[in-house]
Structure formats: structure tokens, C-alpha cells
Amino acid sequence: MLKSRAVRAGAVGVLAIAAWLAAPPVLRYARAVSALLRIEDAARQPSFLEYPVEERPATVKWPGGEAPARLYLPKNVASAPGIVVLHGIHHLGIGEPRLVNFARVMAASGFVVLTPELAAVADYRIEPSAIAIIGASARRLATEMQVPRVGVLGLSFAGGLALMAAADPQWSQSIAWVAAIGAHHDLGRVVKFLVTGSAPRPDGSVLHLAAHEYGALITVYDRPEDFFSPADAPAARESLRLLLWEK
């Protein structure tokens, strides 16, 4: 009887230790599943695994001035890692609903999130100013969190710009890693595909695929003077802007 009790007690002890060791991976997995479900459906109610989030406006000082930003802070999280999340080409910028939801979900998962406004990107333009704002955003967040570096996650064209910021010695010391989602490798190649619907493969053959019409629209929108008379260019650009804004 005593031996049987000892065996049972030992088994319970082993199970308790196994559960204690397994808890962190299981919690991480559960939080990841919860985050993916919230990203997919912004109306989904937060789970008990998520942290409450505080949101506040912020600014990022860069060599060209100040850029508006938003800060998302998880509550009751010690030593939360920092991440700069960059919006893609959309006129709503940091207010774009899908980006806001994504930033909230990341913060609820335990990240301190900073979303800077990339004015040129929000205006459907790719300019060096965005690279400087990205680098300055990483430096600002790292300084505020009192850590050497933070991560940068760029969506769409902002992903390629994030890689360029990480490669710039002026900003690289503040960037720990870059996650580029749907980013471009060669902007010229991408624009050519968006306009022509064709792209050369490595073996020399050519891929023909119908590109989204916005590719041609943003190309003309960026330089209307190349497509319209001087008198018509301002009105053409405004018309294209309204079309890109789905108005």
C-alpha cells in the first residue's frame, strides 16, 4: 500500500513538473492563435490571454521635421519587446483600420508598438524621406524603452523601405531585425510589372499576369506632367488622387 501511494505521489509530481515545463510553450501557442484570429476578424472579442492595451498619440523627430505617430502599450508586461510597424500605400496611413487592428493585436500579444506616419507612402509615393522616418522611429522607440535596438515590420512597399533603413549606417544601430511582408526587391521591376503586366523570369521566359490597375494609376499620379499638358496636369493629379481614394 505504501509503495503504491509512493508511486502515485511520484507520478503526480512528474505530471506537475511536466505541466510546469510545458506551460510557457502552450501559452505562447495559444496567444499566437488568438492573435491570428483577431487579425482575421477585428470584431472578435479579446481573449483572456491578451493584455489590455493603452493607445496614445506620439511624434517622431527626423531630419526633415516631425512625423505623427501612434504608440500602443501592453499593460502589466515587464520588459516587453519593441516593434515599429509601418503602413503600406494607403491614404489613411496610420489610421487605416486594418493597420490599427494589427497594431492593437500585436500590443495585446505583449509588444510595445509604434506606428509612424510615412507621408509620402500615404500619398502613393516612394521617397527617401520615408527611410529617414523609419530609422528615426526605431531610434525613438529604442531610446524610450532604454534598449539598444527594436524590430521593424513593414507592410507592402514599406517593407522594402524598412530594409533600406536597416542598411543605412545612420539608423542600423537602432534596428534589431526587419520583417518585410509583401515588400519589393527591385522597385523598377515592380513598377514595370504593374504597368505592363509582364515580368522576366530567371530562365529568360516572361510571366504574363494581369496586374492591379492601381499600379498604372500611381505611376501616372506620381508624375502627371509626363502624361498631361502643363495646363491639365494639376487637375489630372487631383482626379487620380480621388480615384485612388476610391472617391
Side-chain angles (χ1 to χ4, degrees), residues 83-86 151-156 158-160 162-163 175 177-183:
I83 178 173
V84 176
V85 175
L86 309 170
V152 177
L153 187 152
L155 302 167
S156 184
L163 290 170
I175 300 176
W177 50 264
V178 171
I181 301 176

Side-chain angles (χ1 to χ4, degrees), residues 101-114:
N101 180 56
F102 182 79
R104 287 172 177 167
V105 171
M106 294 298 289
S109 300
F111 288 92
V112 174
V113 179
L114 178 68

Side-chain angles (χ1 to χ4, degrees), residues 205-222:
S205 61
V206 178
L207 168 67
H208 296 284
L209 188 66
H212 195 285
E213 67 173 358
Y214 93 94
L217 292 177
I218 61 174
T219 302
V220 180
Y221 174 76
D222 187 47

Side-chain angles (χ1 to χ4, degrees), residues 19 27-28 96 128 144 215:
L27 285 174
R28 284 196 294 269
E96 201 276 314
E144 181 170 317

Side-chain angles (χ1 to χ4, degrees), residues 72-90:
Y72 300 79
L73 303 163
K75 296 181 179 179
N76 307 320
V77 180
S79 302
I83 178 173
V84 176
V85 175
L86 309 170
H87 63 81
I89 290 183
H90 196 287

